[in-house]
Amino acid sequence: MVRMYLIAAATLALVGAASAEQFTAVQGIDKIVTVSGPDGTVSLDYQSAERVAPGDTLYYHIDYDNGSAEPAENVELVMIVPAEVNYLENTADAGGLAADLAFSVDNGESFYSRRDLQVDVNGARQLASAQDITHIRWTFDAPIAPGTQGKVSFRATVR
């Protein structure tokens, strides 16, 4: 088994009534392990991602909490997709709240919808592959209510 430390960072852009101290966002990474029960049922177990190997599936998430008495407006959460992993298509999730989802292939310099995300290959533009994605951004459509806790997430496999 290969031991890797996956460097991942979350950035938070918050403008509006709630201050940054009252709106918190903490990133976590878990390894997803498939567990078969004695009765044949299969479930997913989320374990520490301290030890991972190529092919392992990881669950990247940002847990947020609006501890303010005011709505948090214009909330944007951005997560890096580390170079050591490949993003798994259609796994980015806003946790049930409406959010615009955008992706970057240029280290967060620009963001586009998945269907509009392109890269240059030998001088020609083509649709970016999941392996090209470097960042994912969630921009919430509405203010996040006071006392609201939630999570944004995506899955990736270790290269």
Side-chain angles (χ1 to χ4, degrees):
M1 192 171 251
V2 177
R3 183 176 177 93
M4 294 174 39
Y5 290 98
L6 299 179
I7 299 171
T11 58
L12 168 68
L14 175 65
V15 180
S19 72
E21 294 87 38
Q22 295 168 321
F23 188 98
T24 59
V26 178
Q27 181 170 327
I29 306 169
D30 301 309
K31 180 168 66 170
I32 301 174
V33 178
T34 303
V35 178
S36 297
D39 61 355
T41 60
V42 176
S43 62
L44 299 180
D45 187 27
Y46 294 81
Q47 302 176 355
S48 167
E50 185 177 316
R51 296 178 62 87
V52 299
D56 285 347
T57 300
L58 302 179
Y59 176 69
Y60 287 81
H61 55 93
I62 298 175
D63 299 305
Y64 62 85
D65 181 4
N66 182 7
S68 170
E70 300 293 325
E73 298 178 326
N74 304 315
V75 174
E76 183 177 277
L77 298 172
V78 177
M79 207 172 340
I80 293 171
V81 178
E84 297 87 0
V85 302
N86 289 326
Y87 167 72
L88 288 175
E89 289 289 0
N90 303 314
T91 63
D93 184 22
L97 292 181
D100 289 327
L101 186 60
F103 299 86
S104 177
V105 294
D106 59 7
N107 295 311
E109 293 293 319
S110 60
F111 286 88
Y112 299 93
S113 69
R114 184 66 185 99
R115 71 178 175 275
D116 295 328
L117 191 65
Q118 296 186 352
V119 292
D120 285 320
V121 177
N122 298 324
R125 300 291 289 167
Q126 70 179 35
L127 185 64
S129 72
Q131 293 84 351
D132 296 320
I133 295 172
T134 63
H135 291 71
I136 302 172
R137 181 181 71 193
W138 294 262
T139 304
F140 290 90
D141 295 345
I144 296 176
T148 298
Q149 296 176 340
K151 179 182 303 214
V152 298
S153 63
F154 73 90
R155 293 180 185 192
T157 56
V158 178
R159 293 182 187 202

